[in-house]
Each structure stands twice: as C-alpha cells, then as structure tokens.
Amino acid sequence: MKEGLANKSIYRKDYKVYPWDVGQLDLHFDIARESTTVRTEMEFQLKDGEQAKQDIVLNGSELQLESLSLNGSELSGDDYVIDGETLTIPDAPAKSVLKTEVRIQPASNSALEGLYLSGAFLLTQCEAQGFRKITWFPDRPDVMTTYRVTMEADRAEFPILLSNGNQEASGELPGGRHWVRWEDPFPKPTYLFALVAGDLALVEDHFTTRSGRDVVLRIYVESENLDRCEHAMQSLINAMRWDEERFNLEYDLDIYHIVATNDFNMGAMENKSLNIFNSKYVLARPDTATDADFQGIEGVIGHEYFHNWTGNRVTCRDWFELTLKEGLTVFRDEEFSADMQSRAVKRIRVVRDLRSRQFPEDDGPMSHPIRPDRYVEINNFYTSTVYQKGATIIRMYHTLLGESGFQKGMKLYFDRHDGQAVTCDDFLAAMADANGVDLERFGRWYSQSGTPQVHVSDYYDSASRKYKLTLKQHTPATHDQKTKQALVIPFTCGLLTNNGEELPLQLEDETEAGPGTRLLVLEEMQQEYTFVNVPEAPVPSLFRDFSAPVKVFYDYSHAQLAILIAFDSDAYVRWDAAQRMAQDVILEQCHRHSKGQEMRLDPSLLKAFRGTLSDRAADPALLAEAMIMPDEDYLAEQMEVVDVDGIHVARKFIKSGLANELEELFAERYADLNDGLPYQKSPEAMARRALKNVCMSYLQDTQAGESLITAQLESSDNMTDSLAAIKGLVLMDSPMAGKALSQFETRWSEDALVMDKWFAMQAMKPGCDSLGRVRELMKHPAFSIQNPNKVRSLIGVFAMLNPTGFHAADGSGYAFHADRVIELDGLNPQIAARMASAFNRWKRYDESRKKLIKAQLQRIAAADNLSGDVSEIINNALRSDGE
Ligand SMILES: [Zn+2]
C-alpha cells in the first residue's frame, strides 16, 4: 500500500516549523463517484525570519496529478520532485501562488480515508492524514488556513453538498447540475476539513447560545433513519448548554451539522461545524438501541462537540501531541456524562475500561507514553493510552488544582493559544502559571510509559494510637523504556473503623482532625504518612475515586474487603473491593482446578453478594456494577502464565455457585425490578434495567432461568431487555436460543446496526465450536469484510472477547485471524492493524500457544505488500520476543 514507507520511524525530536504561511485555500470539487476532479489555488508566503528561497513541500497520496502551476506558469516534471508522499518545488519565490488539479477515485477507495463512498453519498475522513488523498497540500496540523470550498455535481444524484463553515452561495448549472460554495472563517488544519455530497434527509433544531447567537442544528441521515435522531439531537443541545455552564465556552458559528454513515473507521470526527459520525453513535430508538448505546451516543456527541474548543480552536502542533486534544476532550466528555447520568457509575465504567484495555496495552509491545516519541504509522497511536490514560492525567490536574484552579488554567490556555497549534507543554504551562504552582515533575506523566505500581503497607500502634501508612512507587520497565522515574501520584484515601464508620483524619503535624477523605501527594519513590488519634487498627480505603492510573497493592483480608464493600463512602472503593474479592476467589479456584483439586465457593464472597443483593438504599446501577464479575481477559492479566480454560471454568463455577446459593434473593430482586412498566429513558429507569439484567445473568445458571428469560424476551418493549434475554439464551446453550436468534434476524435483517449486535452475540459465545460459527456467519448476506462495523462485530469480537474460542489449543483461531488480517490489509490497513493488535499479548500464554501465535505473526510479517500500519504492529509484537 505504501511502498518504501513501511517501518520508517518518525521522531518527535525532529519537528521543524513549516517555513510558509498559507493565506487561503480555494478548493473546487467536480464531484462524481468514479472520478472526482479537485482543483486548488493557494498562496504561500514565506514566514518572517525564514531564509529566502525555501522549498515548498506538499503531501499527497494516490493522486493523479493533472496540472501544477506556480505564479501563473505551468510546471513540468523537471520543475518539481515527487518522492513517495511528498512533492517538492525547490527554491520557490517568497510569495508563491500555486494551482493544482488532480483526479481521485472515491468509489474504489476501500481504506475509508480521504474521499470515499458510503451507500448513496460521498464523504471525507481526513484525520490524521487523509487530506493527502484528496489533493497536494502541507498535510500537517500546524499549517492552518481558511478554506473556501466550491462543489459542483449532478443535482439528482447529489442534492446535498456540504462542507465546513457557512454556505455563501449556490446556483444552477446546465445539464441538471448545481454548485454550492462554503466558507469557514476560522483557520484550520487539513485534518478538520470535511465534505459530504449525496442524497440525505435531515432533522433540524435550534440552540440559542448564552450571548444570543441562534445556531441551526442539523443531523443528516439516510431517509429510513429519520425517526432515530431524537436522542442525538437532545444530546447535542445538552452538550452545548453544559459547555457554557461548566467551561464557559460557547459555540462560534451559525450552523452545526452532523452526518451519520455506516462506513467509518472510527467512532466520529469533529470536523469544524460538519461532524461525521459512525451511525452507531447517532441512531437510536428504544427498540433498536440498548441503554449502553444511548449513553454512548450522548458521550460521543458531547466529545465531538467539545472538540470545537479543545482541538479545533486550539489544535496540536504535530501528531505526537494528539493527547493534547484527545486526553482533554475525553476528560470533558466523561465529566459531561457524569453530570448527565450518575457520576459514580460513570467513574466505575471508565476505570473498568482503562484497566482492561489500557493497562495491558501499556504492558505490551505497543507500550508508549501518552505523548509518544516515535511512530511509524500515526493511525496506530489512536490508542487507549493516548485517549483514556491521557484523560486520567487531565483528571489528576483537576484533582490537584481543584475545579476552580483547573478552570483558571483552562481560561489562560485559551487566552494564550486560541487559533494556534500547540503542545502538551503549553497546556501544562497554562495550568502551572494560572495557579502559581510548579508542575515540572508532574510533566513526567507525558513522557513515561508503563503502569506505575503503588505498594501500600501500614502499621498501627495501639499505645500511641498512631497509624502509619507507607507508600512506595515503582514503574516496571516497558518495551520502549527501560528506566523509570518517580511520578507525582495524587493518592486520595480514608480510614474506616471495623464497624464501617469513617474516621476524621489528622496527620502528625496538624493541630486538629479534618474530614474523612484526604488527598496525599506521593512525589518520591517512597513516602510515609502518620495519622494520630486513631482509636483502633483501621481499614484503609485507598485510591478513592481512582485518583491516579496506577495499580495498587495492599494485602487486604477478605474481612477488610467486606467492610469496604458494605460501608465505604466512595463508590469506586466499594466496587473495587468487590472486584478484588471476586478476582481472588476466581483465581484461587483456577489454581485448584489446574492441580486437579475440587473448586469451592468462598463464604465471604457469598456473604458480600448477599449484602449487595439486599441493599435497597444504594443506586441499582452501582449494585449492578459491583456484581459484574471481572471479565476473563482482565483475570488473565493477573496471571503469570494465562490459563485460558482454567479461568473460564473457574469463573463459571463461581458465578453459577453464587446463582444457585442466592437464587431466592436474585429472583426476588429481579421480580421487584421487572415491573412491567412501559419503557422509559431516564437514568433511573436505566439503572433499574441494569440491575435487573445482571440478576437475570445469574439466574440463567439456575433451574428457573430459561422460563424467566423467555418471559422477558416475550414481554420486552426495548432492545436492552431483549438483547440481554437472547444473550442469556445463547450463553446458557438453551434449545430456545436458535429460535430467538432467527426471529431477531428476520425482524432486523435490513437494519445494519442491529445486525451488528446479532453477529456480536454469536461471535462471543465461548467454546471450541466458535470458529465454525464465525466462519459460517462471514457468509451471511448482512456481513461485509469491507464494512468496519461488521468486521469489529464479528471478527473483532471473536478475537478480543471470546478467549476460549480465539485461543483454542489447536491454533485454529490464530490461523483464521491471521488470514483476516492479511485479507483486510489489502482493503483497509487501519482496520487490519486494529485487528492485528489482538495478538499483542501473545507472550503471556503457554509455550504451545506462544509457538502457534508466533508462527502466525511471522506469516503476516512475510505477506506481500504489507501496509506500514500492520507491519508496525506485527514487528513490534515480534520484537518483544527479545529482538
Ligand atoms: Zn476526539
């Protein structure tokens, strides 16, 4: 795909300022599916202080160059040099007007970068480097300019023609054609450019900003989806209001467009005033989308909207700084969701995701700091580390500076940098200067990879009534970095009595006791804290609200965990204690199973579950989270050598043991929650459904399970309940499962998004017959290897969420998956690379599996014309085998 570029690393330290300012970019598109002509006119002005006679360097990829002229004269092949993806015009005059004309082929663009076809319309995806597939231009985020975009096309085929900014003019052309011109007054980098052309329907609403600007809001979808946009529109309005109230940030144009497509590599894209979304994050109706989908839509709509300031108005200097916009914007969308829904539940879900995806990434062959120092293919660095860990680092600023200090820093950041392309150092400086604090050591979080470990030990002296807490930090070496430094780790904690009461806290050098939650800041490798006037040996409540992205080690007894589960004031700590206890118990049974010993159900876990199930005061969504067992992949991460089948058997044993011992309580709670009321979308109703369906997931392991699930399926009026029921039947291997799946298929066969769920629940079903089923499903008419959502739902779910299927001992899952990676690489390297990363944890399996995976990695590495995307992932994985 990218001959000559594979494996060529780009380094952060090599950054050089682009010597030219680009005055304005005039783009003219003559649009057709098979072949679109793009003409540009742009003015290059040498920056002040640059030496005269600089080269003009442009980026382009897969473009058919028709003409190129400089200051009015046509250039011939001798006047410029094309080398790979760059075009260089040597020694250009200090003021140079450049005109280009190229042809591109949208309909045959299967990589979904640049201009491509989706259903009945054409659209663009430019982040990170898709603009170079549209025309020759300096395709880098620090080159910002204003855009004037004129599109002409056949009116019947392309009635809607959209781009960024405001529509300035339009008109008719002979032969049933028409044209439209858009102008965006805000200078922007190429990655925020967007264009949409085709036959789309729209829903419209309005939002009046705090200063009185009337903004037209439009969501464009294919006409059959018009009745599924209400939630997305409401989420957008909520996000606009929230950003004014919480961050004092207003929208800055008169129009805001969202376009939904079924063919998209990512979740959504924040192009200035013309967001393009994977339809998964727009379309929802109670009968087609689950509560998780509704919450996902709210979060992603918010995320892309919030980028208008954190990303678009202030953008990144280069792609190494990606976390500057992504970490910050994920933090903002997490806060938005927390304010809209339940703060505690949102926090737990964020932590679960970070621990099960980012921690393994940071411990594997792709380990990198949130601001990487090198990459081969930037698309491979849209990672959980850059996004989710990046967001927790922004959250640590917030924890250390408080809401008002944090907002002071944000204000200074915008005052200094509005309209600029900047770095994480600039963000840190704004936070430090606005608060008059030194954050230099805190800045290490940007350059150090790996998950720090904090080891906690304690000592209580009953004579002096003193309690000493010792914290030691240690970050294990990672593939990319051998030595690690001490980090600044905010450590929020409390102390409980053995009756579960929270103690007021007083440190040795303080004159009186303060509140029961204390923020300690660990800055050295080891620090000690002595609390005085502690009446008894307390139970430490550690890392409240998950105050840093670290692994915490403290030798909790089950009795201590039980106290935290029942009484702690912090929802995260309660949840974490429940997870720790379940994890201990499951891993112990896994160990017993491997030695041929009988497994047993632990009485303290049983007691904790009994307490949780009987808790009528707490938020049902929190109780649901506490009872969801750690998943198999997370458990696998806790083992030295992963015992794939042992984990599966032990987890299943514990879950069904709890279900059978506590059947009455589960059934009683289920019956209370299963109130038969019509569907409601409120957070309270979602919380009740969450707990109800967790209860059902346990009851599926009991005698009464099947009839209860069937009854739920028959009476359900929403996708959350229906899907939970069908999944239950599939997982329990019920004879009813086949019928339920085929009814679901008949009802939704025309609906791409709902069919994704149908594929996913079958791909997820554990056991050795998984692969045969996945192979069959690939032949289904609704499946397409060209569609990223389908690939993720079937192939991605099999490889990443079905450990017993993917890791089948004969290696069949690995061979199948390697075939898919190679096949996908010829179509869509970005998606192929995502799929290839399923092999990243290969070193953690037994010798026989390691050998099998390594052979597949080598087979992929040897494939013809491998893209830079996939070869970076595969070579890193192989290199982690000791060079
Ligand atoms: Zn983003």
Side-chain angles (χ1 to χ4, degrees), residues 462-474:
S462 53
S464 63
R465 294 168 34 111
K466 284 184 181 173
Y467 176 70
K468 192 167 81 180
L469 209 50
T470 305
L471 309 181
K472 278 188 208 168
Q473 62 166 304
H474 163 69

mmCIF file with all atom_site columns, all heavy atoms in Angstrom, residues 462-474:
data_model
loop_
_atom_site.group_PDB
_atom_site.id
_atom_site.type_symbol
_atom_site.label_atom_id
_atom_site.label_alt_id
_atom_site.label_comp_id
_atom_site.label_asym_id
_atom_site.label_entity_id
_atom_site.label_seq_id
_atom_site.pdbx_PDB_ins_code
_atom_site.Cartn_x
_atom_site.Cartn_y
_atom_site.Cartn_z
_atom_site.occupancy
_atom_site.B_iso_or_equiv
_atom_site.pdbx_formal_charge
_atom_site.auth_seq_id
_atom_site.auth_comp_id
_atom_site.auth_asym_id
_atom_site.auth_atom_id
_atom_site.pdbx_PDB_model_num
ATOM 1   N N   . SER A 1 462 ? -1.137 0.649  69.010 1.00 0.00 ? 462 SER A N   1
ATOM 2   C CA  . SER A 1 462 ? -2.292 0.934  69.854 1.00 0.00 ? 462 SER A CA  1
ATOM 3   C C   . SER A 1 462 ? -1.927 1.804  71.057 1.00 0.00 ? 462 SER A C   1
ATOM 4   O O   . SER A 1 462 ? -2.750 2.583  71.540 1.00 0.00 ? 462 SER A O   1
ATOM 5   C CB  . SER A 1 462 ? -2.962 -0.372 70.309 1.00 0.00 ? 462 SER A CB  1
ATOM 6   O OG  . SER A 1 462 ? -2.002 -1.194 70.892 1.00 0.00 ? 462 SER A OG  1
ATOM 7   N N   . ALA A 1 463 ? -0.652 1.704  71.520 1.00 0.00 ? 463 ALA A N   1
ATOM 8   C CA  . ALA A 1 463 ? -0.258 2.513  72.672 1.00 0.00 ? 463 ALA A CA  1
ATOM 9   C C   . ALA A 1 463 ? -0.293 4.004  72.343 1.00 0.00 ? 463 ALA A C   1
ATOM 10  O O   . ALA A 1 463 ? -0.889 4.800  73.062 1.00 0.00 ? 463 ALA A O   1
ATOM 11  C CB  . ALA A 1 463 ? 1.140  2.093  73.136 1.00 0.00 ? 463 ALA A CB  1
ATOM 12  N N   . SER A 1 464 ? 0.317  4.371  71.199 1.00 0.00 ? 464 SER A N   1
ATOM 13  C CA  . SER A 1 464 ? 0.352  5.792  70.839 1.00 0.00 ? 464 SER A CA  1
ATOM 14  C C   . SER A 1 464 ? -0.857 6.202  70.002 1.00 0.00 ? 464 SER A C   1
ATOM 15  O O   . SER A 1 464 ? -0.997 7.374  69.671 1.00 0.00 ? 464 SER A O   1
ATOM 16  C CB  . SER A 1 464 ? 1.639  6.092  70.078 1.00 0.00 ? 464 SER A CB  1
ATOM 17  O OG  . SER A 1 464 ? 1.637  5.345  68.873 1.00 0.00 ? 464 SER A OG  1
ATOM 18  N N   . ARG A 1 465 ? -1.704 5.258  69.632 1.00 0.00 ? 465 ARG A N   1
ATOM 19  C CA  . ARG A 1 465 ? -2.856 5.480  68.749 1.00 0.00 ? 465 ARG A CA  1
ATOM 20  C C   . ARG A 1 465 ? -2.423 6.152  67.451 1.00 0.00 ? 465 ARG A C   1
ATOM 21  O O   . ARG A 1 465 ? -3.089 7.031  66.921 1.00 0.00 ? 465 ARG A O   1
ATOM 22  C CB  . ARG A 1 465 ? -3.924 6.320  69.471 1.00 0.00 ? 465 ARG A CB  1
ATOM 23  C CG  . ARG A 1 465 ? -4.502 5.533  70.649 1.00 0.00 ? 465 ARG A CG  1
ATOM 24  C CD  . ARG A 1 465 ? -5.355 6.348  71.610 1.00 0.00 ? 465 ARG A CD  1
ATOM 25  N NE  . ARG A 1 465 ? -6.149 7.429  71.057 1.00 0.00 ? 465 ARG A NE  1
ATOM 26  C CZ  . ARG A 1 465 ? -7.479 7.444  70.984 1.00 0.00 ? 465 ARG A CZ  1
ATOM 27  N NH1 . ARG A 1 465 ? -8.186 6.392  71.367 1.00 0.00 ? 465 ARG A NH1 1
ATOM 28  N NH2 . ARG A 1 465 ? -8.103 8.504  70.538 1.00 0.00 ? 465 ARG A NH2 1
ATOM 29  N N   . LYS A 1 466 ? -1.266 5.675  66.954 1.00 0.00 ? 466 LYS A N   1
ATOM 30  C CA  . LYS A 1 466 ? -0.771 6.212  65.681 1.00 0.00 ? 466 LYS A CA  1
ATOM 31  C C   . LYS A 1 466 ? -0.896 5.145  64.593 1.00 0.00 ? 466 LYS A C   1
ATOM 32  O O   . LYS A 1 466 ? -0.678 3.953  64.847 1.00 0.00 ? 466 LYS A O   1
ATOM 33  C CB  . LYS A 1 466 ? 0.702  6.623  65.806 1.00 0.00 ? 466 LYS A CB  1
ATOM 34  C CG  . LYS A 1 466 ? 0.888  7.916  66.541 1.00 0.00 ? 466 LYS A CG  1
ATOM 35  C CD  . LYS A 1 466 ? 2.341  8.324  66.555 1.00 0.00 ? 466 LYS A CD  1
ATOM 36  C CE  . LYS A 1 466 ? 2.499  9.628  67.316 1.00 0.00 ? 466 LYS A CE  1
ATOM 37  N NZ  . LYS A 1 466 ? 3.912  9.974  67.498 1.00 0.00 ? 466 LYS A NZ  1
ATOM 38  N N   . TYR A 1 467 ? -1.206 5.627  63.387 1.00 0.00 ? 467 TYR A N   1
ATOM 39  C CA  . TYR A 1 467 ? -1.334 4.720  62.243 1.00 0.00 ? 467 TYR A CA  1
ATOM 40  C C   . TYR A 1 467 ? -0.422 5.237  61.145 1.00 0.00 ? 467 TYR A C   1
ATOM 41  O O   . TYR A 1 467 ? -0.552 6.374  60.702 1.00 0.00 ? 467 TYR A O   1
ATOM 42  C CB  . TYR A 1 467 ? -2.791 4.696  61.772 1.00 0.00 ? 467 TYR A CB  1
ATOM 43  C CG  . TYR A 1 467 ? -3.032 3.860  60.537 1.00 0.00 ? 467 TYR A CG  1
ATOM 44  C CD1 . TYR A 1 467 ? -2.947 2.464  60.581 1.00 0.00 ? 467 TYR A CD1 1
ATOM 45  C CD2 . TYR A 1 467 ? -3.348 4.460  59.315 1.00 0.00 ? 467 TYR A CD2 1
ATOM 46  C CE1 . TYR A 1 467 ? -3.179 1.703  59.443 1.00 0.00 ? 467 TYR A CE1 1
ATOM 47  C CE2 . TYR A 1 467 ? -3.580 3.710  58.178 1.00 0.00 ? 467 TYR A CE2 1
ATOM 48  C CZ  . TYR A 1 467 ? -3.492 2.326  58.248 1.00 0.00 ? 467 TYR A CZ  1
ATOM 49  O OH  . TYR A 1 467 ? -3.727 1.571  57.122 1.00 0.00 ? 467 TYR A OH  1
ATOM 50  N N   . LYS A 1 468 ? 0.523  4.374  60.749 1.00 0.00 ? 468 LYS A N   1
ATOM 51  C CA  . LYS A 1 468 ? 1.499  4.811  59.744 1.00 0.00 ? 468 LYS A CA  1
ATOM 52  C C   . LYS A 1 468 ? 1.220  4.123  58.411 1.00 0.00 ? 468 LYS A C   1
ATOM 53  O O   . LYS A 1 468 ? 1.104  2.900  58.330 1.00 0.00 ? 468 LYS A O   1
ATOM 54  C CB  . LYS A 1 468 ? 2.916  4.474  60.224 1.00 0.00 ? 468 LYS A CB  1
ATOM 55  C CG  . LYS A 1 468 ? 3.970  5.152  59.375 1.00 0.00 ? 468 LYS A CG  1
ATOM 56  C CD  . LYS A 1 468 ? 5.342  5.092  60.021 1.00 0.00 ? 468 LYS A CD  1
ATOM 57  C CE  . LYS A 1 468 ? 5.978  3.727  59.742 1.00 0.00 ? 468 LYS A CE  1
ATOM 58  N NZ  . LYS A 1 468 ? 7.314  3.623  60.341 1.00 0.00 ? 468 LYS A NZ  1
ATOM 59  N N   . LEU A 1 469 ? 1.127  4.944  57.372 1.00 0.00 ? 469 LEU A N   1
ATOM 60  C CA  . LEU A 1 469 ? 0.878  4.428  56.026 1.00 0.00 ? 469 LEU A CA  1
ATOM 61  C C   . LEU A 1 469 ? 2.156  4.680  55.212 1.00 0.00 ? 469 LEU A C   1
ATOM 62  O O   . LEU A 1 469 ? 2.633  5.803  55.142 1.00 0.00 ? 469 LEU A O   1
ATOM 63  C CB  . LEU A 1 469 ? -0.280 5.230  55.434 1.00 0.00 ? 469 LEU A CB  1
ATOM 64  C CG  . LEU A 1 469 ? -1.235 4.630  54.410 1.00 0.00 ? 469 LEU A CG  1
ATOM 65  C CD1 . LEU A 1 469 ? -1.781 3.286  54.855 1.00 0.00 ? 469 LEU A CD1 1
ATOM 66  C CD2 . LEU A 1 469 ? -2.380 5.610  54.166 1.00 0.00 ? 469 LEU A CD2 1
ATOM 67  N N   . THR A 1 470 ? 2.697  3.620  54.616 1.00 0.00 ? 470 THR A N   1
ATOM 68  C CA  . THR A 1 470 ? 3.903  3.777  53.784 1.00 0.00 ? 470 THR A CA  1
ATOM 69  C C   . THR A 1 470 ? 3.545  3.490  52.329 1.00 0.00 ? 470 THR A C   1
ATOM 70  O O   . THR A 1 470 ? 2.986  2.438  52.023 1.00 0.00 ? 470 THR A O   1
ATOM 71  C CB  . THR A 1 470 ? 5.010  2.807  54.245 1.00 0.00 ? 470 THR A CB  1
ATOM 72  O OG1 . THR A 1 470 ? 5.232  3.032  55.638 1.00 0.00 ? 470 THR A OG1 1
ATOM 73  C CG2 . THR A 1 470 ? 6.303  3.039  53.466 1.00 0.00 ? 470 THR A CG2 1
ATOM 74  N N   . LEU A 1 471 ? 3.863  4.446  51.469 1.00 0.00 ? 471 LEU A N   1
ATOM 75  C CA  . LEU A 1 471 ? 3.574  4.283  50.040 1.00 0.00 ? 471 LEU A CA  1
ATOM 76  C C   . LEU A 1 471 ? 4.892  4.208  49.277 1.00 0.00 ? 471 LEU A C   1
ATOM 77  O O   . LEU A 1 471 ? 5.760  5.060  49.450 1.00 0.00 ? 471 LEU A O   1
ATOM 78  C CB  . LEU A 1 471 ? 2.775  5.485  49.512 1.00 0.00 ? 471 LEU A CB  1
ATOM 79  C CG  . LEU A 1 471 ? 1.518  5.890  50.277 1.00 0.00 ? 471 LEU A CG  1
ATOM 80  C CD1 . LEU A 1 471 ? 0.850  7.082  49.582 1.00 0.00 ? 471 LEU A CD1 1
ATOM 81  C CD2 . LEU A 1 471 ? 0.540  4.732  50.361 1.00 0.00 ? 471 LEU A CD2 1
ATOM 82  N N   . LYS A 1 472 ? 4.998  3.181  48.435 1.00 0.00 ? 472 LYS A N   1
ATOM 83  C CA  . LYS A 1 472 ? 6.197  3.049  47.591 1.00 0.00 ? 472 LYS A CA  1
ATOM 84  C C   . LYS A 1 472 ? 5.738  2.961  46.161 1.00 0.00 ? 472 LYS A C   1
ATOM 85  O O   . LYS A 1 472 ? 4.813  2.210  45.845 1.00 0.00 ? 472 LYS A O   1
ATOM 86  C CB  . LYS A 1 472 ? 6.907  1.724  47.897 1.00 0.00 ? 472 LYS A CB  1
ATOM 87  C CG  . LYS A 1 472 ? 7.791  1.756  49.087 1.00 0.00 ? 472 LYS A CG  1
ATOM 88  C CD  . LYS A 1 472 ? 8.573  0.434  49.147 1.00 0.00 ? 472 LYS A CD  1
ATOM 89  C CE  . LYS A 1 472 ? 8.907  0.135  50.598 1.00 0.00 ? 472 LYS A CE  1
ATOM 90  N NZ  . LYS A 1 472 ? 9.394  -1.223 50.795 1.00 0.00 ? 472 LYS A NZ  1
ATOM 91  N N   . GLN A 1 473 ? 6.374  3.723  45.279 1.00 0.00 ? 473 GLN A N   1
ATOM 92  C CA  . GLN A 1 473 ? 6.010  3.601  43.864 1.00 0.00 ? 473 GLN A CA  1
ATOM 93  C C   . GLN A 1 473 ? 7.119  2.946  43.074 1.00 0.00 ? 473 GLN A C   1
ATOM 94  O O   . GLN A 1 473 ? 8.306  3.076  43.375 1.00 0.00 ? 473 GLN A O   1
ATOM 95  C CB  . GLN A 1 473 ? 5.639  4.950  43.269 1.00 0.00 ? 473 GLN A CB  1
ATOM 96  C CG  . GLN A 1 473 ? 6.737  5.985  43.270 1.00 0.00 ? 473 GLN A CG  1
ATOM 97  C CD  . GLN A 1 473 ? 6.387  7.157  42.355 1.00 0.00 ? 473 GLN A CD  1
ATOM 98  O OE1 . GLN A 1 473 ? 6.122  6.990  41.179 1.00 0.00 ? 473 GLN A OE1 1
ATOM 99  N NE2 . GLN A 1 473 ? 6.364  8.349  42.937 1.00 0.00 ? 473 GLN A NE2 1
ATOM 100 N N   . HIS A 1 474 ? 6.672  2.245  42.027 1.00 0.00 ? 474 HIS A N   1
ATOM 101 C CA  . HIS A 1 474 ? 7.618  1.544  41.168 1.00 0.00 ? 474 HIS A CA  1
ATOM 102 C C   . HIS A 1 474 ? 6.939  1.352  39.819 1.00 0.00 ? 474 HIS A C   1
ATOM 103 O O   . HIS A 1 474 ? 5.822  0.865  39.753 1.00 0.00 ? 474 HIS A O   1
ATOM 104 C CB  . HIS A 1 474 ? 7.952  0.177  41.798 1.00 0.00 ? 474 HIS A CB  1
ATOM 105 C CG  . HIS A 1 474 ? 8.568  -0.786 40.839 1.00 0.00 ? 474 HIS A CG  1
ATOM 106 N ND1 . HIS A 1 474 ? 9.835  -0.604 40.347 1.00 0.00 ? 474 HIS A ND1 1
ATOM 107 C CD2 . HIS A 1 474 ? 8.089  -1.912 40.264 1.00 0.00 ? 474 HIS A CD2 1
ATOM 108 C CE1 . HIS A 1 474 ? 10.116 -1.599 39.507 1.00 0.00 ? 474 HIS A CE1 1
ATOM 109 N NE2 . HIS A 1 474 ? 9.078  -2.407 39.434 1.00 0.00 ? 474 HIS A NE2 1
#
